[in-house]
């Protein structure tokens, strides 16, 4: 009994540590600038959230909304397409015997250990040479590549797609590619959601690539946009309120998506880690 | 016959992997072997082959090695603390002593949804002497001072990643069949004993995986220090290796920045590979 009380106390303290900063951000986003500095930080003053959001989305012709849309396009698009590509490659590595298979797998696996930030600078130089550095594609295309996704897809495909089923599909005259999209990918679906989530977070968090690549603020993802505002807070104090509200709005969709998709995290992570 | 489909599966990823992974690595190596030369003070600038000149500069660059030392100190302290907390929380969740497991699992995991830049901005405000809800604490202790700011950033990284690592370890624990514990319990082993002698060895692969990712993440530290430069003058433009790469490329000195990138990537690769090898050998011996 005593140990249960102790354990629950630890859980409670940890909950405060993990959630209090988010609570603080939410409360802060509901205040105007005077209240932000003048009232108790962890509790509401007058509720200005709607006004604050209106100010944020109209500031400088709604550049914040544009950043949000950019983030969704970079991250959602790259993760969706990248997951399909990684799944196909991992599936082939698991289900076919072909020359160079092990070599290919080892090269891709080494790719997992190469830090993505080491690629940002040479990518910038290459894209500059091609005259394409400050474009949407300069951030989008490199974000498609996810070697860890290939690694996971290979494990999942080996575990969840039975050989007999593929043989049966072949006897029925279904082509290999069609079998992948109609049968195998369905069996791998929970795993694919996990790969998608991993990829999504990796692109969403990649800061160096857009920082080096982009100079036109209309192409910024929301993280880079809020970062540039935050660097100007000392000169333009009213930006502080916008940074707080913007931070809250920028994390809300991801937090909600995480909570909804949480069971995929658990299942998928288990399969990846037990290997 | 059926192998005819293999290129269709492999080529799309393979082509992008070559274009945006292998080519940039090669290009960085090539760039790092060149240097910019100017004939006379105002003469035209041209790129000439410089051999290992840039690497010589890298190895003589004091701030760069200081920044590597800094992230090494960060990693040696922060990674074990973060993974230790993650492991303890996972074991507690798995112990059967916790009511409301689902809630706690979610609550601890939520910070992982917050990008490093945003987390750093939030904590920057929380640390600030006059805006923080912990004013009595931040008034007395300057978390943004030169002595403490590295550990203040360690706290930000820990806050974001504990829940994620906990979930990886917890998932591995759930995958262990409960019969494994039954026998030990019959023999009279307590919770603590079961955790130490049975559960931890069984989830070791998960811990190895999280350690490798943490090592890679630590050496790449960029978003947090870059954001903290707005909050603290103690964070210089060469505070971490990646900040050095960034500030060198904005001078711009791309050849030297490429050499920094190559050295950093190689260091990361060798360290994580060596760690994987060492742990694999140990588990093979057992």
């Amino acid at each position: 009994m005593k140990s249960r009380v102790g354990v629950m106390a630890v859980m409670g303290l940890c909950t405060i540590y993990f959630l209090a900063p988010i609570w603080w951000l939410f409360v802060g986003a509901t205040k105007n600038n005077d209240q932000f500095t003048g009232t108790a930080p962890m509790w509401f003053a007058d509720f200005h959230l709607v006004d604050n959001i209106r100010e944020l989305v109209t500031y400088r012709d709604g550049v914040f909304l544009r950043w949000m849309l950019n983030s969704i396009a970079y991250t959602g698009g790259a993760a969706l397409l990248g997951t399909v590509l990684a799944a196909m490659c991992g599936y082939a590595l698991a289900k076919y015997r072909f020359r160079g298979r092990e070599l290919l797998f080892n090269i891709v696996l080494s790719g997992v250990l190469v830090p993505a930030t080491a690629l940002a600078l040479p990518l910038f130089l290459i894209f500059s040479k091609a005259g394409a550095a400050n474009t949407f594609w300069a951030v989008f295309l490199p974000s498609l590549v996810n070697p860890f996704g290939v690694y996971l897809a290979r494990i999942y495909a080996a575990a969840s797609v039975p050989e007999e089923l593929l043989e049966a599909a072949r006897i029925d005259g279904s082509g290999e590619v069609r079998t992948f999209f109609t049968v195998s990918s369905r069996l791998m679906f929970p795993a694919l959601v996990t790969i998608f989530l991993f990829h999504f977070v990796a692109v969403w968090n990649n800061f160096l690539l857009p920082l080096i690549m982009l100079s036109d603020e209309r192409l910024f993802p929301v993280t880079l946009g809020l970062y540039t505002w935050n660097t100007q807070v000392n000169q333009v104090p009213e930006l502080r309120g916008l940074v707080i509200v913007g931070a809250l709005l920028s994390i809300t969709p991801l937090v909600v998506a995480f909570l909804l998709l949480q069971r995929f995290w658990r299942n998928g992570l288990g399969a990846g880690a037990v290997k | 016959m059926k192998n005819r489909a293999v290129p269709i599966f492999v080529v799309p990823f393979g082509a992008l992997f070559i274009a945006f992974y292998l080519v940039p690595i090669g290009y960085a190596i090539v760039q790092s072997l060149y240097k910019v030369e100017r004939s006379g003070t105002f003469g035209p600038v041209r790129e000439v082959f410089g051999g290992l000149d840039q690497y010589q500069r890298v190895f003589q660059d004091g701030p760069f090695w200081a920044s590597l030392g800094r992230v090494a100190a960060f990693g040696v302290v922060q990674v074990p603390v973060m993974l230790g907390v993650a492991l303890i929380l996972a074991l507690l969740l798995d112990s059967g002593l916790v009511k409301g497991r689902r809630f706690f699992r979610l609550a601890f995991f939520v910070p992982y949804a917050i990008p490093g830049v945003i987390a750093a901005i939030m904590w920057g405000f929380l640390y600030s002497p006059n805006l923080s809800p912990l004013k009595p604490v931040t008034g007395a202790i300057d978390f943004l001072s030169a002595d403490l700011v590295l550990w203040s950033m360690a706290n930000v990284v820990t806050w974001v990643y504990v829940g994620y690592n906990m979930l990886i370890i917890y998932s591995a624990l759930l995958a262990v069949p409960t019969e494994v514990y039954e026998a030990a319990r019959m023999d009279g082993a307590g919770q603590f004993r079961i955790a130490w002698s049975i559960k931890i060895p069984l989830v070791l692969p998960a811990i190895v995986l999280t350690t490798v990712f943490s090592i890679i993440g630590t050496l790449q530290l960029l978003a947090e220090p870059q954001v903290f430069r707005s909050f603290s003058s103690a964070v210089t433009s060469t505070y971490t290796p990646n900040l050095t790469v960034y500030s060198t490329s904005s001078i711009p000195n791309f050849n030297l920045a490429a050499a920094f990138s190559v050295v950093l990537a190689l260091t990361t690769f060798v360290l994580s590979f060596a760690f994987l090898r060492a742990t694999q050998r140990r588990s093979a011996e057992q």
Side-chain angles (χ1 to χ4, degrees):
Chain A
M1 195 59 229
K2 225 164 46 193
S3 59
R4 166 156 290 174
V5 173
V7 167
M8 289 307 282
V10 171
M11 291 283 138
L13 281 176
C14 287
T15 306
I16 294 174
Y17 170 67
F18 289 116
L19 295 187
I22 298 171
W23 173 253
W24 167 86
L25 182 69
F26 177 64
V27 170
T30 67
K31 294 178 176 178
N32 64 27
N33 262 340
D34 295 337
Q35 291 166 343
F36 188 72
T37 48
T39 60
M42 295 305 269
W43 197 248
F44 301 100
D46 304 330
F47 201 79
H48 285 294
L49 183 61
V50 178
D51 295 336
N52 288 345
I53 291 176
R54 189 176 303 130
E55 194 190 335
L56 174 73
V57 299
T58 52
Y59 186 77
R60 298 242 309 271
D61 301 326
V63 72
F64 178 80
L65 282 181
R66 198 176 157 105
W67 291 342
M68 285 292 275
L69 291 176
N70 288 344
S71 274
I72 292 166
Y74 288 126
T75 318
L80 209 60
L81 205 56
T83 302
V84 175
L85 298 175
M88 286 166 69
C89 189
Y91 175 77
L93 287 170
K95 289 292 161 196
Y96 298 91
R97 311 264 167 276
F98 56 92
R99 233 185 41 211
R101 188 177 70 129
E102 284 309 308
L103 178 71
L104 178 67
F105 184 64
N106 284 331
I107 293 176
V108 171
L109 206 56
S110 316
V112 176
L113 300 184
V114 172
T117 55
L119 303 170
L121 175 74
L123 280 169
F124 169 72
L125 298 176
I126 292 170
F127 274 92
S128 314
K129 273 251 158 79
N134 186 26
T135 63
F136 174 83
W137 302 106
V139 172
F140 182 82
L141 289 175
S143 304
L144 288 172
V145 189
N146 176 14
F148 189 57
V150 175
Y151 168 75
L152 290 178
R154 177 181 156 147
I155 294 175
Y156 297 140
S160 63
V161 183
E163 214 63 55
E164 303 82 57
L165 202 69
L166 297 182
E167 286 304 330
R170 275 174 204 134
I171 291 166
D172 288 347
S174 167
E176 301 293 324
V177 178
R178 214 186 87 193
T179 307
F180 170 76
F181 281 104
T182 54
V183 181
S184 310
S185 65
R186 284 204 194 145
L187 293 171
M188 291 166 71
F189 186 74
L192 295 184
V193 176
T194 311
I195 297 176
F196 173 81
L197 287 171
F198 264 121
H199 197 157
F200 192 96
V201 173
V203 179
W204 186 259
N205 277 329
N206 190 350
F207 179 60
L208 186 57
L209 186 66
L211 179 70
I212 284 191
M213 204 63 97
L214 303 174
S215 50
D216 177 3
E217 73 163 24
R218 293 176 57 79
L219 294 172
F220 283 3
V222 69
T223 44
L224 187 55
L226 288 175
Y227 160 78
T228 50
W229 276 358
N230 190 55
T231 57
Q232 296 160 17
V233 162
N234 289 333
Q235 293 89 50
V236 195
E238 72 258 27
L239 277 178
R240 191 178 60 208
L242 297 180
V243 169
I244 298 285
V245 184
L248 179 71
L249 287 195
S250 76
I251 65 173
T252 306
L254 211 62
V255 170
V256 171
F258 262 50
L259 298 185
L260 292 178
L261 295 172
Q262 210 248 351
R263 71 192 173 93
F264 289 104
W265 279 108
R266 217 181 64 220
N267 300 342
L269 284 171
V274 167
K275 171 74 176 59
Chain B
M1 175 56 205
K2 63 180 190 187
N3 274 5
R4 275 220 310 246
V6 167
I8 302 174
F9 288 125
V10 174
V11 167
F13 176 84
L16 289 169
F17 185 75
I18 291 171
F20 301 119
Y21 246 85
L22 299 185
V23 169
I25 293 171
Y27 194 70
I29 294 170
V30 171
Q31 281 295 312
S32 69
L33 298 176
Y34 279 80
K35 58 182 178 183
V36 171
E37 247 183 25
R38 196 185 284 273
S39 35
T41 319
F42 299 104
V45 174
R46 59 199 180 94
E47 255 189 352
V48 297
F49 187 75
L52 296 176
D53 282 11
Q54 302 294 359
Y55 290 96
Q56 202 174 354
R57 288 183 64 185
V58 168
F59 285 104
Q60 289 166 352
D61 190 287
F64 179 70
W65 294 99
S67 75
L68 262 181
R70 203 172 283 122
V71 290
F74 182 102
V76 167
V77 175
Q78 190 267 339
V79 173
V81 168
M82 172 180 70
L83 296 180
V85 173
L87 176 63
I88 290 170
L89 291 179
L91 287 170
L92 288 179
L93 279 180
D94 193 54
S95 69
L97 288 170
V98 174
K99 275 214 175 78
R101 249 173 301 203
R102 221 181 117 74
F103 168 78
F104 289 118
R105 213 173 54 210
L106 285 176
F108 300 168
F109 188 55
V110 164
Y112 182 60
I114 297 169
V117 178
I118 308 290
I121 291 176
M122 287 167 64
W123 279 96
F125 283 112
L126 292 174
Y127 289 137
S128 78
N130 40 23
L131 295 170
S132 174
L134 297 166
K135 221 180 279 183
V137 181
T138 56
I141 305 167
D142 184 0
F143 287 102
L144 300 168
S145 66
D147 293 335
L148 283 182
V149 73
L150 185 68
W151 309 111
S152 303
M153 284 189 273
N155 174 54
V156 179
V157 177
T158 306
W159 182 74
V160 172
Y161 286 102
V162 161
Y164 164 75
N165 291 305
M166 176 201 76
L167 208 60
I168 293 185
I169 299 169
Y170 182 62
S171 311
L173 281 172
L174 288 182
V176 177
T178 44
E179 298 91 66
V180 176
Y181 312 134
E182 296 296 329
R185 205 162 288 146
M186 294 287 215
D187 292 344
Q191 281 278 4
F192 189 77
R193 177 79 215 210
I194 292 177
W196 183 256
S197 319
I198 302 179
K199 290 185 178 179
I200 292 182
L202 280 174
V203 297
L204 216 52
I207 298 173
V208 168
L209 185 80
T210 54
T211 310
V212 170
F213 284 145
S214 304
I215 291 175
I216 298 176
T218 304
L219 283 163
Q220 292 192 86
L221 216 54
L222 173 84
E224 291 81 5
Q226 180 75 1
V227 169
F228 268 56
R229 296 195 64 199
S230 314
F231 295 111
S232 167
S233 57
V235 185
T236 60
S237 65
T238 55
Y239 200 74
T240 67
N242 253 334
L243 269 181
T244 310
V245 172
Y246 176 62
S247 52
T248 312
S249 71
S250 12
I251 294 175
N253 186 343
F254 295 128
N255 305 110
L256 182 59
F260 279 131
S261 275
V262 171
V263 170
L264 177 60
L266 216 60
T267 311
T268 312
F269 189 87
V270 167
L271 274 179
S272 42
F273 193 76
F275 182 81
L276 274 179
R277 262 292 146 85
T279 49
Q280 270 164 5
R281 187 161 310 148
R282 264 192 64 187
S283 58
E285 277 166 11
Q286 275 170 5

